[in-house]
Amino acid sequence: MRHWLIKSEPEVFSIRDLARVKVTGWEGVRNYLARNFMRDLMAPGELALFYHSNAEPSGVAGVARVHGEAVPDPTQFQKKSEYFDPTSLRSGPRWMMRHFEFVERFPALVPLATLRADPALRGMALLQKGQRLSVQEVSAAHFAHVVALGRATRPR
DNA sequence: GCCAACGTTGGC
DNA sequence: GCCAACGTTGGC
């Protein structure tokens, strides 16, 4: 059982949006390592921290669950999509994605600064300098710690 | 809006 | 196969 962190810009798609639509395809990932995590390593039912990037502040907003098996990202075949990939073939799609299901939204976001200041989260990939990966693996201990921080937040 | 860090592309 | 140039991510 692995644990994950998935990033989204809340102005594009937030934890509120996921709570509303319940399940969404994680479209538009165009990084090979992130794709490999979704395609090869995720298993249905595994949990992911839902991270708001490029936000004020950025931070972890809640939890989502891997829903179903890897499927081709439909946007790679859509000419009008910003994620269109003319070199990807329907007979062998380059970009695979998962669906994610809403699990919980924390009372308030756990800001990145809070995560950085917490010695229990030392070594977490998200906190490494220069890392920008939009799908990351998180250790079980770090995952549980962040969820505890999130559940302890007060609504604001 | 700036810019550091990173991944990808393409010339050679 | 190297590496400079370029585009993107994402914190600040």
Side-chain angles (χ1 to χ4, degrees):
Chain A
M1 192 77 167
R2 299 173 193 268
H3 297 80
W4 305 96
L5 179 146
I6 56 177
K7 293 183 185 175
S8 182
E9 301 194 17
E11 291 197 3
V12 178
F13 190 85
S14 71
I15 189 82
R16 275 191 152 100
D17 295 319
L18 184 59
R20 192 181 67 249
V21 302
K22 308 297 186 203
V23 176
T24 193
W26 211 248
E27 299 175 344
V29 173
R30 293 294 180 270
N31 173 283
Y32 286 103
L33 189 52
R35 177 205 66 182
N36 293 348
F37 283 153
M38 288 199 287
R39 186 187 63 184
D40 305 330
L41 292 183
M42 286 184 180
E46 289 179 345
L47 297 174
L49 301 172
F50 194 112
Y51 181 82
H52 283 179
S53 61
N54 257 320
E56 293 187 11
S58 295
V60 178
V63 177
R65 181 188 295 119
V66 178
H67 187 264
E69 302 297 335
V71 295
D73 180 339
T75 62
Q76 71 195 303
F77 303 122
Q78 294 166 2
K79 282 208 173 76
K80 289 185 177 169
S81 169
E82 61 176 312
Y83 302 118
F84 177 60
D85 182 349
T87 68
S88 184
L89 304 173
R90 285 188 187 271
S91 55
R94 171 167 301 150
W95 304 110
M96 303 293 284
M97 67 173 198
R98 295 276 172 163
H99 287 80
F100 287 90
E101 174 185 7
F102 176 75
V103 175
E104 71 176 288
R105 177 180 171 221
F106 298 147
L109 179 126
V110 183
L112 180 58
T114 300
L115 304 178
R116 285 200 193 286
D118 194 330
L121 298 177
R122 200 161 295 163
M124 194 176 176
L126 179 74
L127 309 180
Q128 302 313 301
K129 183 179 179 182
Q131 85 69 36
R132 314 178 306 190
L133 202 58
S134 63
V135 178
Q136 307 179 354
E137 189 171 358
V138 177
S139 75
H142 287 165
F143 181 89
H145 190 75
V146 174
V147 170
L149 292 176
R151 289 179 180 162
T153 57
R154 298 289 184 82
R156 38 174 297 151

